[in-house]
Amino acid sequence: MKPEIVLEFLSRVEKLKCAQRHCATSAGGPESVADHTFGCAVFALLIRDEFPQLDMDKVLEMCLIHDFGEAVTGDIPAFEKNGGDEKAEADALAGLLDCLPPKQRQRWSTLYQEMDALETDEAKLYKIIDRLEAVHQHNLSPLSSWIPLEYELNLTYGEKEADAFPYTRRLRQLLKQQTLEKTGK
């Protein structure tokens, strides 16, 4: 890939560092989309050996690119996102990828289709990581940053998805236990 294209694309996705998410960091400051992406990538690296049957390089790649569209649209919390928001993010992603050479653009477009379909174990694991990282970050953030619906949401978000694998089911149970302890329930 030409160096100019690398720098152009990096400039485009740099906006993920500026796009704030609803959640706060453990220090109480705003979490960025890039912060979340970093958390997902590290999560995938940490659990890689628990899934020797999966293509964990693909899972890691999914974790790294899953929110690229938000460099254009910004983040919309899961509890507010609708079909129109999903389409806007997909359109933003297509525009974002247009500067890439055809081979790279096709690779990531195909990967996004796999992620959206959630039919492969790799796509399912990426989605679990995406959800569980968000729950974990809420458990790290000050309770003063939570809105009322998050008390219930943090107990249930990603539960159904995490049931796909025994290991992620256990992780989700631990996160639920941490949420209960944090909220005093």
Side-chain angles (χ1 to χ4, degrees):
M1 189 178 309
K2 292 180 182 177
E4 295 83 4
I5 294 172
V6 169
L7 296 178
E8 180 181 349
F9 191 78
L10 285 172
S11 296
R12 290 179 178 200
V13 297
E14 183 273 343
K15 305 297 184 261
L16 295 171
K17 296 178 181 180
C18 308
Q20 292 183 353
R21 287 173 52 89
H22 168 71
C23 193
T25 66
S26 60
E31 178 192 31
S32 73
V33 175
D35 294 331
H36 167 67
T37 298
F38 172 78
C40 289
V42 173
F43 201 138
L45 288 173
L46 287 168
I47 66 173
R48 132 180 253 125
D49 292 342
E50 302 299 328
F51 297 91
Q53 74 282 16
L54 300 188
D55 181 348
M56 290 303 287
D57 287 340
K58 182 186 272 191
V59 173
L60 179 59
E61 191 171 6
M62 289 175 172
C63 287
L64 287 169
I65 72 169
H66 79 281
D67 279 336
F68 274 0
E70 293 182 13
V72 176
T73 64
D75 179 67
I76 299 169
F79 53 84
E80 292 179 3
K81 198 173 271 192
N82 62 45
D85 298 323
E86 302 273 342
K87 176 154 179 16
E89 197 172 310
D91 291 346
L93 174 67
L96 192 65
L97 298 181
D98 71 359
C99 77
L100 296 175
K103 184 178 177 181
Q104 183 68 51
R105 185 172 50 244
Q106 181 59 44
R107 175 178 170 76
W108 282 349
S109 294
T110 300
L111 201 56
Y112 272 103
Q113 290 169 2
E114 181 179 342
M115 293 159 63
D116 282 343
L118 287 174
E119 293 174 353
T120 65
D121 284 345
E122 287 81 4
K124 290 174 186 173
L125 183 57
Y126 130 74
K127 183 54 92 175
I128 293 165
I129 290 170
D130 180 34
R131 299 223 167 158
L132 297 189
E133 195 286 332
V135 171
H136 183 252
Q137 185 58 50
H138 270 81
N139 281 342
L140 295 175
S141 67
L143 270 178
S144 61
S145 69
W146 290 32
I147 60 174
L149 72 83
E150 290 173 311
Y151 286 81
E152 178 62 28
L153 188 61
N154 226 51
L155 293 171
T156 60
Y157 192 61
E159 261 187 340
K160 181 179 141 206
E161 294 84 356
D163 279 344
F165 306 101
Y167 185 80
T168 55
R169 185 178 313 117
R170 179 70 182 125
L171 276 170
R172 185 61 186 97
Q173 290 167 348
L174 288 171
L175 287 166
K176 185 174 193 170
Q177 184 178 2
Q178 290 176 354
T179 299
L180 289 169
E181 290 169 6
K182 181 177 188 77
T183 60
K185 292 190 178 197

